[in-house]
Amino acid sequence: MPSQQGFFLKARCTECGETFNLFINTATDFLQDFDKDGNVTYALRKEIVGSRCRNLIQVRMALDGSKKLQSKTIENGEFIED
């Protein structure tokens, strides 16, 4: 459930099946990027390593200036959708 401070990101390791429920704080976890005209976009880059195996899961999200999701990818894992 999204809140004003963030949202939960749920993922599963494709190697061992371990699940992760991470809280993403939209005020501190997003990276700002400015284009040549000064417009801002945001990105999220998270790396996850579980306790069952050492598979490195990489999550990438691109967001617009209003912090609305534009795209998301995950390597070595899968998103768990509610």
Side-chain angles (χ1 to χ4, degrees), residues 2 17 19 21-22 25 27 34-35 40 45 49 56-57 60 63 66-67 69 80:
T19 59
N21 192 21
L22 307 171
N25 185 321
F34 296 92
D35 66 15
V40 67
R45 295 183 185 97
V49 177
L56 178 64
I57 302 166
R60 306 283 183 259
L63 302 100
S66 299
K67 296 184 179 178
L69 182 65
I80 300 172

Side-chain angles (χ1 to χ4, degrees), residues 21-63:
N21 192 21
L22 307 171
F23 184 75
I24 304 301
N25 185 321
T26 55
T28 59
D29 289 333
F30 288 164
L31 304 169
Q32 284 185 331
D33 188 27
F34 296 92
D35 66 15
K36 63 181 178 177
D37 297 323
N39 299 316
V40 67
T41 59
Y42 296 92
L44 173 72
R45 295 183 185 97
K46 277 285 187 200
E47 293 184 341
I48 307 165
V49 177
S51 61
R52 294 186 187 170
C53 71
R54 294 295 172 209
N55 186 27
L56 178 64
I57 302 166
Q58 297 181 352
V59 175
R60 306 283 183 259
M61 292 184 178
L63 302 100

